[in-house]
Amino acid sequence: ELKVEQNPLFLSMQEGKNYTIYCNYSTTSDRLYWYRQDPGKSLESLFVLLSNGAVKQEGRLMASLDTKARLSTLHITAAVHDLSATYFCAVDFQGAQKLVFGQGTRLTINP
Amino acid sequence: DTAVSQTPKYLVTQMGNDKSIKCEQNLGHDTMYWYKQDSKKFLKIMFSYNNKELIINETVPNRFSPKSPDKAHLNLHINSLELGDSAVYFCASSHRGGSDTQYFGPGTRLTVL
């Protein structure tokens, strides 16, 4: 079964703190994506991770991929309120021809 | 420049009605998708089309019928709407199926009363 699980599902944190969102998936993948969704809005692509050990960074967000552990992380450094959103990981499983999304992590950053 | 557009943005209707949602992309992509996002934000693929050909049909009730008149358009028609169809429906497109970043439309919030 093709499964993608995120942890935690809800995260409330203070500005200035660091935290990590985890994304586990069930079997071999070709690519892994991170998306951001603001309330009532569409999904915006943040990162695509292609291979084991891949690391991508944009501002205060850094994503990494460990294909052997079937794990990706999205690390938030010195959080600011503007990063409040729901973050989804999505996996392109080998041969599946589709993305399977995690449940989403609703991140709230308080001043 | 709008990349992936959907109409309407909001749709409120009675049970049993038939409705359509339209999607257009101007990115020159070959593959288009329909997703359903439920009230818990869970996002699940419904259909994908590659160059007007159906590639994925994810055990969606046959009340839902996608139509792709050309590779820039993918419409979704829903017959005999049920309460459980209430959700946000997103259209997306990618350069190639499955292995390229998908770009999402703004979503259509469907409410069935």
Side-chain angles (χ1 to χ4, degrees):
Chain A
E1 187 185 358
L2 304 177
K3 287 184 70 173
V4 180
E5 293 188 343
Q6 289 181 233
N7 176 42
L9 300 184
F10 298 93
L11 179 54
S12 181
M13 53 194 290
Q14 287 191 314
E15 280 191 328
K17 300 288 188 186
N18 303 334
Y19 211 81
T20 301
I21 300 170
Y22 298 89
C23 174
N24 288 95
Y25 55 96
S26 58
T27 186
T28 308
S29 80
D30 285 330
R31 299 177 182 213
L32 188 141
Y33 299 84
W34 284 96
Y35 283 88
R36 169 181 172 148
Q37 185 178 33
D38 290 307
K41 302 289 186 184
S42 185
L43 280 83
E44 174 193 352
S45 174
L46 294 174
F47 302 109
V48 54
L49 301 167
L50 303 179
S51 58
N52 190 41
V55 176
K56 294 270 183 84
Q57 182 160 8
E58 179 77 32
R60 299 173 189 275
L61 300 178
M62 184 173 72
S64 66
L65 179 63
D66 180 344
T67 58
K68 291 182 179 147
R70 294 180 190 155
L71 171 69
S72 178
T73 61
L74 181 66
H75 187 73
I76 303 136
T77 302
V80 293
H81 179 68
D82 286 352
L83 291 178
S84 296
T86 299
Y87 292 86
F88 291 92
C89 65
V91 178
D92 173 19
F93 288 103
Q94 273 187 8
Q97 293 188 294
K98 64 181 181 182
L99 287 185
V100 179
F101 279 78
Q103 311 98 307
T105 296
R106 188 174 297 184
L107 174 64
T108 303
I109 299 169
N110 304 304
Chain B
D1 286 346
T2 302
V4 183
S5 59
Q6 294 178 228
T7 54
K9 189 167 173 60
Y10 299 96
L11 192 48
V12 181
T13 189
Q14 301 284 335
M15 267 198 316
N17 284 351
D18 304 338
K19 290 293 178 185
S20 291
I21 307 171
K22 295 188 175 183
C23 178
E24 176 180 0
Q25 54 94 4
N26 62 5
L27 296 167
H29 288 165
D30 290 329
T31 308
M32 296 184 72
Y33 311 82
W34 278 111
Y35 287 86
K36 179 179 180 180
Q37 186 173 46
D38 63 23
S39 57
K40 294 183 179 176
K41 302 292 186 191
F42 186 66
L43 199 66
K44 192 171 189 310
I45 189 166
M46 301 172 68
F47 303 101
S48 76
Y49 270 73
N50 183 266
N51 227 339
K52 303 193 297 176
E53 181 185 346
L54 179 67
I55 302 298
I56 290 173
N57 181 342
E58 282 283 302
T59 60
V60 177
N62 56 17
R63 297 183 296 104
F64 290 79
S65 51
K67 283 191 171 49
S68 182
D70 55 61
K71 73 173 193 176
H73 296 84
L74 180 62
N75 304 322
L76 183 65
H77 187 77
I78 316 169
N79 290 326
S80 303
L81 278 155
E82 300 177 358
L83 292 175
D85 297 331
S86 295
V88 180
Y89 292 84
F90 285 100
C91 175
S93 73
S94 67
H95 180 53
R96 296 168 299 175
S99 296
D100 270 343
T101 300
Q102 294 183 20
Y103 295 86
F104 284 76
T108 296
R109 182 175 292 275
L110 171 65
T111 304
V112 182
L113 303 174

